[in-house]
Amino acid sequence: MLKLSISEVASTLRDGKISPIDLCKKCLSRAEDVKKLNAFVRILDKEALNGASESHLKFQQEKVRSKLEGVTIAVKDNFCTEGITTTCSSRMLNDFVPTYNATVVQRLRDAGSILIGKTNMDEFAMGSGTVDSIHGVTKNIWGSDIPYTIGDKSVNDGNWSQDGERVAGGSSGGSAVAVATGACYAALGSDTGGSTRNPAAYCGIVGLKPTYGSVSRYGLIPLVNSMDVPGIMARSVGDVAHVFNVISGFDENDSTTLERNKSAVVLDDRFNISNLKVGIPKEYHCPGMSPVVVDAWKRVAKILEEAGANVSQVSLPHTGFSIACYSVLNQCEVASNMARYDGLEYGLRSDQTKSTEQLYADSRKRGFNDVVRGRILAGNYFLIQSNYEKYFMKAMKVRRLIANDFKNVWSKVDLLLTPVTLSEPPLLKEFIKLDNREQCSTQDFCTQPANMSGCPAISLPVCLSSSNLPISLQLMAPNFQEQLLLSASHWLENELEFPKLEVV
């Protein structure tokens, strides 16, 4: 049951072959079986079973709310969940219990989905490995010692690399591992510079960053307001489309969502790829990219070309400046957003009583880790009057150049094909030696520009490396063209037939 698609599960539930309650119990059992990977910071056994009982009644009454009725999901721990602790993996919010649901969470619940848990992340989503969390490190199922199969291969048949635990990716690593292990059918992440696509790539699943403004950010605890987007992770493009159809659309509580005529994404196996123009941005072939990623990139481009697509090299000339630009803008917005955590209104409060300033300082020192404090300090430095023009305003101008690169390229091609990460999932023991800034600047090179422009982007697993680890590629489309993006991804997914992981 746990390896079925959402459509298959919906059919099975509708036909009464399994009840939502039994399905929920299977998912909760799987979450417990893979607990050592540390995907979940909180498993909601009681709440999930209550929701499953409600769905069971809906099926009996033939009042099914959507295809997600009775389907299990997980939510990254930076989305507000009513009555359920939401920590952002930080001591600062260790005891924060929201009084409302994020819009995307509420829409999923209204559609009948079952929330089985909150997932681990880098503190306040500042990271690319899910290694900086008060809840500990999240580990990838790939390369772990938990028994699993890939297609018809077993990890115990002697042909598998077992040289150490692998990075799950970040900052939404917990959500990716929860989906990859079959503990849930889909999960929400957030994506500011690649935080959905990066862990999806490393965990061999599909990860969608929707168009900025297409999905509400209300109730998503902010990192960078101008780039944050709720992301969707699932085991197939079709599953991602089902979730996107439920959570997307205008929200009066979020002024950045746009009022548009919403039409559901419908995937068709007869989609004609030969009508498409696909661009290969030359700037994405960056230093440090693994040969296995380059080979996969070339192979998929050839598959598209042989199917009739017009594949050509294009240029996004300001790509190389995106990470430096993002480093400034990210830290400026972090400094602004983190100012609310003063120990008085929000977050951990120190017992210092000497002065208000000392209370602020001690609360923030104890509540934030070194990464968060470092970004706050850098952001405040960029924003002081003498530096404002030199750093913040200049970065905003560079962002406009990057966005214009995308605007110009869409007049020539329909889609862009690029890598997601520069390599297969790195060894965890090597990754944690890297400075957080070095981790992010390396890992986000191919993913971050899409956040600058706001365009939708998807990570799709395409093949296995020689170490039997997943390699993924990224497709990007013009803003609000999720129908095109997901249709092309679905076609490519069927062509590639990436072998699915199944926990034994």
Side-chain angles (χ1 to χ4, degrees):
M1 287 300 302
L2 302 187
K3 65 179 180 180
L4 298 181
S5 70
I6 287 177
S7 291
E8 291 168 333
V9 169
S11 177
T12 303
L13 289 168
R14 185 180 62 250
D15 294 343
K17 295 178 181 177
I18 190 172
S19 74
I21 298 171
D22 289 338
L23 181 64
C24 182
K25 287 180 179 178
K26 287 180 181 291
C27 291
L28 290 170
S29 176
R30 174 59 56 81
E32 187 64 31
D33 290 342
V34 298
K35 197 171 184 177
K36 65 191 295 184
L37 299 177
N38 201 29
F40 290 93
V41 301
R42 195 162 292 99
I43 296 176
L44 305 170
D45 304 68
K46 183 179 178 181
E47 294 88 342
L49 289 171
N50 287 340
S53 297
E54 182 182 353
S55 284
H56 183 60
L57 185 60
K58 293 290 184 183
F59 277 106
Q60 289 181 324
Q61 296 173 339
E62 297 184 351
K63 294 181 178 179
V64 174
R65 291 166 282 189
S66 78
K67 273 199 172 182
L68 297 186
E69 186 74 69
V71 172
T72 56
I73 60 162
V75 172
K76 187 176 179 179
D77 204 30
N78 58 347
F79 287 92
C80 289
T81 43
E82 183 179 3
I84 300 168
T85 305
T86 300
T87 70
C88 284
S89 291
S90 174
R91 288 187 181 85
M92 183 59 78
L93 292 177
N94 201 33
D95 300 318
F96 173 53
V97 181
T99 57
Y100 68 100
N101 283 324
T103 295
V104 288
V105 173
Q106 189 61 52
R107 287 179 177 176
L108 286 169
R109 288 196 153 185
D110 290 344
S113 63
I114 311 301
L115 176 61
I116 69 164
K118 303 294 291 291
T119 57
N120 202 9
M121 56 183 284
D122 289 293
E123 183 165 341
F124 279 104
M126 299 183 200
S128 58
T130 314
V131 296
D132 294 312
S133 166
I134 60 166
H135 306 293
V137 174
T138 293
K139 301 168 185 176
N140 203 331
I141 178 65
W142 295 80
S144 74
D145 59 2
I146 292 176
Y148 63 89
T149 59
I150 300 295
D152 58 356
K153 295 181 180 179
S154 167
V155 296
N156 299 317
D157 68 0
N159 296 318
W160 294 79
S161 171
Q162 292 293 310
D163 53 0
E165 296 166 321
R166 298 281 171 168
V167 172
S171 62
S172 311
S175 289
V177 173
V179 171
T181 56
C184 57
Y185 292 93
L188 293 182
S190 61
D191 196 308
T192 308
S195 284
T196 292
R197 290 160 287 158
N198 172 287
Y202 282 156
C203 292
I205 61 172
V206 180
L208 172 69
K209 181 204 90 71
T211 305
Y212 184 87
S214 66
V215 179
S216 174
R217 296 183 300 110
Y218 180 72
L220 168 60
I221 296 173
L223 173 62
V224 180
N225 302 62
S226 66
M227 298 184 211
D228 294 342
V229 183
I232 304 167
M233 285 180 273
R235 288 161 69 97
S236 71
V237 176
D239 289 355
V240 165
H242 286 310
V243 176
F244 177 76
N245 287 338
V246 168
I247 69 172
S248 61
F250 175 72
D251 177 17
E252 63 181 10
N253 291 318
D254 180 3
S255 61
T256 63
T257 55
L258 299 182
E259 292 192 68
R260 297 171 56 88
N261 293 326
K262 180 184 174 182
S263 56
V265 171
V266 179
L267 303 182
D268 189 343
D269 288 337
R270 296 168 297 177
F271 178 75
N272 186 2
I273 201 77
S274 65
N275 294 327
L276 293 184
K277 298 176 182 177
V278 181
I280 309 293
K282 62 182 181 180
E283 291 82 7
Y284 280 64
H285 196 309
C286 61
M289 187 169 288
S290 167
V292 69
V293 174
V294 176
D295 289 345
W297 193 9
K298 290 178 179 177
R299 185 169 67 87
V300 171
K302 185 177 181 181
I303 289 172
L304 290 167
E305 194 167 35
E306 290 177 346
N310 183 350
V311 180
S312 61
Q313 186 179 82
V314 295
S315 178
L316 297 167
H318 297 94
T319 296
F321 303 112
S322 187
I323 291 297
C325 176
Y326 176 65
S327 295
V328 174
L329 296 179
N330 174 295
Q331 290 161 26
C332 288
E333 291 203 40
V334 164
S336 176
N337 280 323
M338 298 297 125
R340 73 192 69 185
Y341 304 110
D342 55 14
L344 296 178
E345 296 175 284
Y346 299 98
L348 180 147
R349 181 170 184 169
S350 168
D351 54 6
Q352 286 284 345
T353 58
K354 185 177 180 180
S355 68
T356 304
E357 289 78 8
Q358 188 63 39
L359 170 66
Y360 288 168
D362 198 55
S363 296
R364 292 161 73 79
K365 180 180 179 180
R366 291 170 53 194
F368 294 134
N369 69 4
D370 291 343
V371 174
V372 178
R373 290 201 303 272
R375 292 200 191 190
I376 292 170
L377 289 169
N380 283 320
Y381 174 79
F382 295 143
L383 289 170
I384 60 176
Q385 187 173 1
S386 59
N387 289 335
Y388 188 81
E389 289 285 339
K390 185 166 53 174
Y391 292 105
F392 180 73
M393 289 306 298
K394 187 172 288 186
M396 289 293 286
K397 292 175 182 177
V398 173
R399 180 178 182 177
R400 173 60 64 188
L401 293 174
I402 295 167
N404 284 342
D405 284 348
F406 281 88
K407 184 178 179 180
N408 293 334
V409 85
W410 298 135
S411 66
K412 303 171 186 174
V413 297
D414 304 304
L415 296 169
L416 293 171
L417 175 68
T418 78
V420 184
T421 59
L422 306 191
S423 68
E424 64 188 18
L427 287 167
L428 185 58
K429 62 185 179 183
E430 299 298 330
F431 187 85
I432 59 177
K433 295 176 183 178
L434 301 175
D435 174 75
N436 177 275
R437 186 175 301 176
E438 184 180 353
Q439 293 171 6
C440 296
S441 62
T442 302
Q443 300 298 324
D444 294 349
F445 185 91
C446 295
T447 54
Q448 207 292 309
N451 297 85
M452 288 286 187
S453 73
C455 72
I458 192 168
S459 172
L460 191 70
V462 298
C463 65
L464 296 176
S465 71
S466 60
S467 300
N468 292 297
L469 297 168
I471 300 296
S472 296
L473 293 178
Q474 176 177 233
L475 283 172
M476 293 182 274
N479 290 26
F480 299 102
Q481 292 296 314
E482 276 81 3
Q483 174 68 59
L484 171 62
L485 179 66
L486 292 171
S487 294
S489 300
H490 180 60
W491 180 90
L492 191 54
E493 179 181 58
N494 289 338
E495 285 292 307
L496 295 169
E497 296 183 338
F498 179 79
K500 301 296 184 183
L501 179 147
E502 183 181 0
V503 174
V504 179

